[in-house]
Amino acid sequence: MATDYDAPRKNEEELDSDSIEELKTRRNEKSSPAVDEDETEAAEGFELPGADLSHEELAVRVLPKQADEFACGSCFLVKHRSQLDHEENGMGICKECAY
Ligand SMILES: [Zn+2]
């Protein structure tokens, strides 16, 4: 009975490898090398400036508030001291939120 199990397994493996090789050859035939190069160049062009932009955004967000600025405890925006209406629980409240 064991030999009966081995026989179909070998056939399946042969079928799998055959289909994989077929897929590989089909892919090579479908995608022309010119298209592959264009796609690679486009992806690289997008990645480099994207990384730089995210770094700049991070630097802007981390920028500490200045001495004449405060972070509103209600809207959480960093505003100028002139926009400070009052303080609540040690948090500045801007004039817009005080209304
Ligand atoms: Zn506010």
Side-chain angles (χ1 to χ4, degrees):
M1 292 299 280
T3 48
D4 282 337
Y5 270 98
D6 283 347
R9 266 191 198 172
K10 279 178 185 175
N11 283 339
E12 279 179 19
E13 279 176 14
E14 278 173 18
L15 282 172
D16 283 346
S17 59
D18 280 352
S19 58
I20 287 170
E21 277 177 26
E22 265 183 42
L23 282 173
K24 279 180 184 174
T25 49
R26 277 183 196 170
R27 278 183 193 169
N28 287 339
E29 283 171 8
K30 272 187 183 176
S31 58
S32 61
V35 171
D36 277 350
E37 278 175 22
D38 283 349
E39 282 178 2
T40 308
E41 279 178 22
E44 282 177 4
F46 269 108
E47 275 179 27
L48 287 176
D52 285 343
L53 279 177
S54 66
H55 183 74
E56 281 179 24
E57 274 181 29
L58 201 70
V60 169
R61 281 180 190 172
V62 173
L63 195 72
K65 64 174 188 275
Q66 302 299 308
D68 59 349
E69 289 178 336
F70 72 100
C72 175
S74 182
C75 63
F76 301 108
L77 291 176
V78 176
K79 302 210 171 191
H80 193 261
R81 278 276 166 194
S82 64
Q83 296 295 305
L84 176 65
D85 186 83
H86 65 282
E87 289 197 4
E88 273 182 22
N89 303 324
M91 297 287 287
I93 302 297
C94 73
K95 287 184 177 177
E96 283 180 43
C97 293
Y99 280 121

